[in-house]
Amino acid sequence: MSSEQRAPDSPARNPAPPRKATLTFTERFVPPAISVVSVVVVFGLVARVVTSAEHWPRIQLQFFNLEAIIAAFPRVFQGFLINMSVWAVALVAIGIWALLLAVFRSLTGPWFAPLRVFAVVYIDLLRGIPSLLLVLLFGFGVPALQLPGLPRSNLFWGSVAMVLGYAAYAAEVYRSGMEAVHDGQRAAGKALGLTQWQSLRYAILPQAIRNVIPALLNLAVALQKDVALLSVIGVRDAVREAQIYTARTFNYSSLIAAAILFLLATIPMARLTDWVTRRDQERRLQRTV
Amino acid sequence: MNRINIENVTKYYGTTLVLDGIDLSVAEHEVVCLIGASGSGKSTLLRCINQLVPFDHGRIYIDGKAIDDESHFGRNGLRKRIGIVFQAYNLFPHMKVLDNITLAPRKVHGVGRAESEERAMELLNLFGMHSFASSYPEQLSGGQQQRVAIVRALATNPEVLLLDEVTAALDPELIAGVLDVIRSLKDNGMTMIIVTHEMSFARDVGDRVCFLEGGRILEQDKPQKLFSGPENPRTRQFLDRIIRAGRL
Ligand SMILES: Nc1ncnc2c1ncn2[C@@H]1O[C@H](COP(=O)(O)OP(=O)(O)OP(=O)(O)O)[C@@H](O)[C@H]1O
Ligand SMILES: [Mg+2]
């Protein structure tokens, strides 16, 4: 905050701030009313048509069976907690590992060539392999090796696969953020006598990270759904539990239960991302003016 | 001994010749002003002295040692002794004014936080900027950022100061203030190279003025002499235009 704000002049001399325009009753309430009524009518009609279809009772029984949903819920919810813990831990690991990769890639000077090459090759490889394949490779493959001293849980190795794959994307996001920092900032760091590392640490990275927070949040939302991939290696997550229920009862409502749980988590995350992105854009606009 | 010796420095950006065999020496405590049209290579020359950009031919010596002599200066050692104020300020936007100023003293010169902040406040005071210590650069006007940039460069007590159009964003009143500060730096023996479009400024503080054109120094002399009777027709043309623009 600037402390050289204008002394509060006598209020009489300052024109009053513009008052909010007052709306008449019709202006204020009629448009929203029209919106609500039209939405209710349109979706009501659609629902009417769907539910009156010949096969609707069977669809309802198979997919939207409230009893089945309630019966499957405790197990599915347990599994969902696994999904969300993997997600939370993976987010932190990805954030750190990807930042390291991006820094490796940005280092200049002949001594850093091995790190630079490693980062480039790593990012190319891991971005090019489907996540599903990585999860299968790590989740089944590594435990099968029975390497001494390493964990054998497929939950662990499946999560590692997610982290390694997503970090390749996140590293590129960080890198774009670092490249967006103006060259003058590097020059200023150098001119002040900062080392390459100090310049990164104090001048470039804080700005780069701030630049890419919206993009990273988008990745976080994608990961929130992709953690369900762990179900293919036998981790008893929400999807796996739902499948088990389906296999036992031939009713698919448990899958709907899992879907609802994922939606409850992803929609707020997506909203948060939108909000942060919008704020970030406003900040940039203010700065360029 | 000369503080700075620039010998035959030549620099290309790609295939464009930007500095074309620059020879310039600056004595200890001397203030040299660089003038010249936009694009003549003034900023590039300053950046070469500070090793911010590499050059293709020639040598630059500080106190008789080549600037790329790491065994003498150590890594980054040269830059610890030379301060530069950029034309575009280049303040760190994510740091408060005070942190912008104390970063190098603390991280490069190993001064404690309290001591470096005290010194920073002293300098800010000198420029009438003490009330902005905890503002962010984007909350400041161009002229205010300019002054912070000067303070940041001074905070490490450099022996040589390179100033790139530091008065460009200032109004006449503030120019007078900055001029006072630079004059007092000069009185305290600071060696400076100053790029400026402000001829009165050059006349006031400059021991010598160099006119750059197309990457060469076409003419250099004491300010009075150069401004009153330039020998080179191109210098005369440049000065005439500036006089007509009312800046001499
Ligand atoms: N990074 C760069 N890449 C390519 N060309 C450059 C670069 N920086 C400067 N130049 C070119 O070098 C020439 C000299 O630029 P310089 O910034 O030194 O001029 P200047 O004398 O400081 O001009 P001004 O008074 O406008 O600041 C210009 O023609 C410019 O286009
Ligand atoms: Mg310039």
Side-chain angles (χ1 to χ4, degrees):
Chain A
M1 284 290 105
S2 103
S3 42
E4 203 192 58
Q5 274 155 355
R6 201 163 294 138
D9 280 340
S10 60
R13 292 223 326 269
N14 286 336
R19 211 175 303 143
K20 272 197 180 152
T22 42
L23 299 171
T24 66
F25 180 81
T26 2
E27 277 170 336
R28 189 179 302 175
F29 291 107
V30 169
I34 294 176
S35 308
V36 170
V37 169
S38 60
V39 165
V40 167
V41 167
V42 169
F43 284 92
L45 277 178
V46 171
R48 189 64 207 267
V49 169
V50 170
T51 53
S52 61
E54 198 188 330
H55 296 293
W56 174 249
R58 237 182 61 217
I59 295 173
Q60 192 182 18
L61 197 67
Q62 285 287 300
F63 287 90
F64 301 102
N65 185 334
L66 196 58
E67 271 169 39
I69 288 178
I70 290 171
F73 187 82
R75 282 291 177 80
V76 172
F77 183 72
Q78 286 269 307
F80 184 69
L81 290 183
I82 293 182
N83 286 121
M84 288 304 103
S85 346
V86 169
W87 178 65
V89 174
L91 271 189
V92 176
I94 291 166
I96 295 168
W97 177 224
L99 186 59
L100 272 177
L101 286 169
V103 168
F104 288 173
R105 195 164 176 172
S106 78
L107 292 175
T108 55
W111 289 106
F112 296 120
L115 287 178
R116 222 162 34 232
V117 170
F118 166 76
V120 170
V121 172
Y122 175 98
I123 291 170
D124 274 351
L125 285 183
L126 277 277
R127 266 201 316 177
I129 301 175
S131 306
L132 177 59
L133 202 56
L134 281 179
V135 168
L136 287 172
L137 268 173
F138 277 81
F140 284 141
V142 179
L145 290 177
Q146 309 214 323
L147 293 173
L150 287 181
R152 304 220 173 122
S153 122
N154 48 9
L155 171 63
F156 176 82
W157 285 108
S159 310
V160 167
M162 299 301 303
V163 169
L164 294 181
Y166 263 76
Y169 286 100
E172 286 297 278
V173 170
Y174 278 126
R175 189 166 74 104
S176 70
M178 288 162 73
E179 273 168 9
V181 175
H182 197 273
D183 265 349
Q185 296 289 308
R186 266 169 255 267
K190 261 192 189 177
L192 288 169
L194 300 179
T195 62
Q196 191 180 355
W197 165 245
Q198 287 176 320
S199 204
L200 265 179
R201 159 82 179 72
Y202 298 109
I204 309 302
L205 286 182
Q207 298 182 58
I209 291 172
R210 202 165 150 189
N211 284 343
V212 299
I213 284 176
L216 287 180
L217 278 175
N218 269 316
L219 274 184
V221 175
L223 179 69
Q224 210 170 15
K225 294 173 294 177
D226 268 4
V227 284
L229 284 174
L230 296 192
S231 62
V232 300
I233 51 171
V235 172
R236 295 187 69 152
D237 76 329
V239 175
R240 187 83 192 151
E241 289 290 1
Q243 280 179 319
I244 291 172
Y245 184 86
T246 303
R248 208 148 40 82
T249 62
F250 302 105
N251 189 303
Y252 297 97
S253 301
S254 55
L255 289 173
I256 295 295
I260 291 170
L261 284 173
F262 273 102
L263 285 175
L264 285 177
T266 51
I267 290 178
M269 258 311 277
R271 284 287 168 279
L272 174 72
T273 307
D274 289 347
W275 180 73
V276 171
T277 308
R278 209 165 40 242
R279 254 198 14 179
D280 181 68
Q281 274 164 356
E282 276 162 19
R283 177 176 67 88
R284 277 164 208 251
L285 270 181
Q286 270 179 8
R287 198 154 41 167
T288 48
V289 169
Chain B
M1 185 170 62
N2 282 328
R3 200 83 229 232
I4 307 172
N5 257 326
I6 301 173
E7 292 177 3
N8 192 30
V9 164
T10 301
K11 160 137 194 91
Y12 289 86
Y13 271 121
T15 56
T16 326
L17 184 59
V18 180
L19 296 178
D20 184 7
I22 298 268
D23 288 306
L24 177 66
S25 40
V26 182
E28 177 130 32
H29 311 312
E30 195 183 13
V31 176
V32 170
C33 292
L34 302 180
I35 61 171
S38 182
S40 54
K42 307 178 297 289
S43 299
T44 307
L45 181 58
L46 293 194
R47 283 163 178 262
C48 286
I49 296 170
N50 208 14
Q51 271 198 314
L52 288 176
V53 290
F55 43 93
D56 301 291
H57 302 289
R59 306 299 294 269
I60 297 180
Y61 301 92
I62 303 285
D63 296 334
K65 301 281 185 208
I67 56 172
D68 51 4
D69 182 355
E70 276 203 5
S71 64
H72 178 76
F73 290 108
R75 282 188 79 200
N76 282 332
L78 177 83
R79 300 200 190 101
K80 288 186 195 168
R81 298 167 48 177
I82 302 183
I84 184 168
V85 180
F86 295 97
Q87 201 168 353
Y89 331 134
N90 297 351
L91 295 174
F92 301 126
H94 58 292
M95 287 184 189
K96 292 181 175 167
V97 164
L98 195 62
D99 298 327
N100 259 286
I101 298 167
T102 57
L103 181 68
R106 288 194 291 124
K107 301 299 172 189
V108 180
H109 299 261
V111 182
R113 179 183 280 275
E115 195 185 336
S116 60
E117 287 188 350
E118 194 179 320
R119 164 105 176 113
M121 288 309 291
E122 258 169 43
L123 285 168
L124 282 172
N125 222 337
L126 206 60
F127 283 76
M129 289 291 296
H130 50 286
S131 57
F132 292 98
S134 50
S135 303
Y136 285 93
E138 63 189 16
Q139 296 170 317
L140 306 184
S141 75
Q144 292 165 340
Q145 293 187 36
Q146 184 76 82
R147 282 179 278 168
V148 174
I150 297 175
V151 169
R152 184 172 71 171
L154 290 177
T156 53
N157 299 318
E159 300 159 22
V160 174
L161 197 57
L162 311 174
L163 302 173
D164 199 349
E165 300 196 27
V166 289
T167 53
L170 305 182
D171 63 34
E173 217 171 315
L174 292 177
I175 290 178
V178 171
L179 203 80
D180 284 343
V181 172
I182 291 177
R183 204 180 292 116
S184 77
L185 289 173
K186 179 186 156 110
D187 292 342
N188 287 320
M190 180 80 82
T191 308
M192 287 183 275
I193 301 183
I194 304 177
V195 172
T196 182
H197 285 307
E198 208 69 43
M199 298 305 142
S200 55
F201 185 59
R203 179 151 49 194
D204 232 40
V205 296
D207 295 312
R208 190 151 40 108
V209 176
C210 302
F211 175 65
L212 255 79
E213 168 90 2
R216 328 182 69 158
I217 297 182
L218 283 196
E219 193 167 353
Q220 51 176 310
D221 215 328
K222 290 205 161 59
Q224 288 79 0
K225 274 172 102 178
L226 190 93
F227 289 146
S228 54
E231 283 166 14
N232 192 300
R234 186 52 202 120
T235 319
R236 198 171 309 139
Q237 196 187 3
F238 179 78
L239 290 174
D240 279 349
R241 256 191 235 142
I242 282 185
I243 291 169
R244 253 180 280 133
R247 292 181 79 169
L248 189 64

